[in-house]
Amino acid sequence: MKVGVIIPVRNARPWIGEMLESIQAQTHPAQAYLAEDRSDDGTFEWLREHPGLYAKMSRNRARKGWAGSLNAAARLALADGCDALFTASADDRLHPECIARCVAVLGADGGRDFVVPWAQQFGEADHVQASLPDCGLDDLVVWPPLIDKALIARATWEAVGGYSPKATLPGSYGSAEDWEFWIRVWKAGLTRYAVVEQPLYFVRVHPGQLSHDRGEWHGATVDLFRKLHPDLPWTADSGVWPPRHRTTKRSGHA
């Protein structure tokens, strides 16, 4: 199975090298596909000087944000013949067995639509992000019960069409498009999935990352998703911030 790790990249100069090296260290071969989102900290120039660390890179003509850049990276990987896409962020890193473990599960039992590994935070926090192994639409209208980092079969990504630009709020560069993506996955009936209950993806927590602004945009995001999917059973508890429905555990109790 040819795996492409798709990565939006913006102002990630201090960390992108570590992520790319962790991809090259995978026990199952994988290659990085990057969409550079108009960095102004020297990231793009550094990447051009290190072409051996990734398979392909494009640079957005104008800033697209996280979701638009993820889709751009996916197009590079799909055009290069990848059978599955692993979604990642430029400031994180992979366990050496991450791709191998996910590939084994993706192909087991007649094949699955996608595989989600547990993720381990590091930096300012140390929680394990433990996705639900038996998610349903009722869970998806309360809170995203799956993390955004997953190995997704090519057919699944293409059937859903990647992340929707309609799910990005005007004025933001990304808030919770992964939540809306999973809703469309379930609506498409692509729910044959598994969770690897071991931290295989490491999430760096640091000042200035995009997710720190999520609270600011959260209420408007939930309102937008209600409009995009009015057929779902939204309730008063849907998307309550801070979340009442969590999928995290302290690392000492994983």
Side-chain angles (χ1 to χ4, degrees):
M1 182 179 293
K2 183 174 181 178
V3 176
V5 182
I6 55 175
I7 309 175
V9 182
R10 176 174 168 81
N11 290 351
R13 176 63 189 86
W15 313 289
I16 184 63
E18 184 175 357
M19 167 53 90
L20 296 177
E21 288 172 359
S22 78
I23 295 170
Q24 292 195 330
Q26 292 300 297
T27 58
H28 180 100
Q31 292 182 300
Y33 296 84
L34 315 178
E36 204 287 323
D37 199 28
R38 310 305 301 183
S39 296
D40 56 18
D41 71 340
T43 296
F44 177 63
E45 291 75 16
W46 186 87
L47 288 169
R48 283 198 305 180
E49 294 171 358
H50 297 81
L53 291 176
Y54 53 88
K56 291 187 178 180
M57 176 178 67
S58 64
R59 192 179 202 201
N60 300 333
R61 292 186 176 182
R63 190 174 176 190
K64 291 185 176 181
W66 178 62
S69 299
L70 191 70
N71 286 344
R75 286 192 290 271
L76 293 176
L78 294 174
D80 206 28
C82 288
D83 304 303
L85 308 177
F86 191 96
T87 51
S89 295
D91 47 359
D92 299 336
R93 66 174 184 257
L94 306 182
H95 185 286
E97 291 286 333
C98 180
I99 300 301
R101 291 286 307 278
C102 289
V103 165
V105 176
L106 187 69
D109 301 325
R112 292 185 168 90
D113 299 313
F114 63 94
V115 174
V116 185
W118 281 8
Q120 169 74 60
Q121 294 178 334
F122 69 100
E124 295 182 354
D126 63 351
H127 287 79
V128 171
Q129 300 173 334
S131 296
L132 293 182
D134 52 358
C135 173
L137 269 176
D138 288 346
D139 300 301
L140 282 165
V141 297
V142 176
W143 189 256
L146 303 172
I147 66 169
D148 60 308
K149 306 306 188 290
L151 181 67
I152 304 170
R154 180 188 184 111
T156 300
W157 184 273
E158 292 181 329
V160 178
Y163 281 30
S164 172
K166 295 179 181 179
T168 296
L169 288 167
S172 78
Y173 289 103
S175 56
E177 292 90 342
D178 55 299
W179 184 2
E180 198 273 340
F181 174 78
W182 292 129
I183 289 174
R184 287 186 292 113
V185 166
W186 253 255
K187 284 188 168 184
L190 299 167
T191 59
R192 185 172 170 79
Y193 82 102
V195 173
V196 180
E197 296 184 353
Q198 175 187 347
L200 297 174
Y201 186 94
F202 298 101
V203 180
R204 188 188 307 270
V205 181
H206 62 88
Q209 61 191 150
L210 194 61
S211 60
H212 280 190
D213 296 329
R214 182 165 178 167
E216 175 185 348
W217 295 96
H218 186 73
T221 298
V222 176
D223 289 342
L224 174 61
F225 291 176
R226 287 175 182 266
K227 293 176 182 177
L228 291 175
H229 301 281
D231 54 316
L232 296 186
W234 302 97
T235 70
D237 288 334
S238 296
V240 171
W241 185 274
R244 297 177 186 174
H245 174 77
R246 293 185 179 270
T247 58
T248 60
K249 304 179 181 181
R250 293 294 295 183
S251 59
H253 304 282

